Amino acid sequence: MAQNAGGFGYLLKESLAEIGDLAEAIRRIGTGGSVIDPTVVACLLHRNRATAPVDTLPHREHEILALIAEGRSNEATARHLTVSGKTVETHVRNVFSKLGLESNIVDHRRVLAVLTYLRA
């Protein structure tokens, strides 16, 4: 269905009260349309999505990550939030830890944190 949604149908038999509904669905599918039972759509829209790591951050850490994503330095973030630079450093370190971005010589954690933020 993801590759070609045309000519696709999925109906639940208990949702078909009238033979005319089935006939209409078959006609629509036959002309390249798609039919999906409203019950299935509702389930898909209301299913629990996996919690993104960014969603688990406390408000202040989420706010700091958003400022990092805007390209702000720790110093600019501290001025913007009227907190000390040490406070921002602590929050940034916590963000990295909670996002699973451990320090190493290969990766740039600020960039990886922003990418994680944008994906969420």
Side-chain angles (χ1 to χ4, degrees):
M1 191 168 112
Q3 295 171 345
N4 183 7
F8 176 84
Y10 192 93
L11 297 172
L12 300 175
K13 63 183 174 188
E14 54 270 5
S15 296
L16 294 170
E18 300 287 329
I19 191 72
D21 295 339
L22 177 60
E24 174 58 30
I26 292 170
R27 274 192 290 280
R28 189 178 305 165
I29 293 167
T31 60
S34 299
V35 179
I36 300 177
D37 195 283
T39 305
V40 174
V41 173
C43 287
L44 291 172
L45 292 176
H46 293 106
R47 69 180 177 181
N48 293 334
R49 74 174 174 101
T51 303
V54 171
D55 295 337
T56 65
L57 297 176
H59 175 73
R60 181 59 97 181
E61 291 173 6
H62 193 275
E63 186 176 25
I64 286 176
L65 180 55
L67 292 168
I68 291 171
E70 290 177 9
R72 297 191 189 219
S73 65
N74 284 0
E75 183 179 324
T77 298
R79 276 185 300 204
H80 180 79
L81 298 175
T82 60
V83 296
S84 74
K86 283 285 192 195
T87 298
V88 171
E89 287 176 20
T90 299
H91 284 306
V92 170
R93 194 169 36 256
N94 290 341
V95 167
F96 291 159
S97 176
K98 290 175 183 174
L99 297 182
L101 303 172
E102 300 305 321
S103 181
N104 63 53
I105 61 171
V106 179
D107 299 321
H108 193 291
R109 293 189 298 171
R110 286 180 85 87
V111 173
L112 293 174
V114 169
L115 290 172
T116 302
Y117 174 77
L118 293 174
R119 287 182 187 126

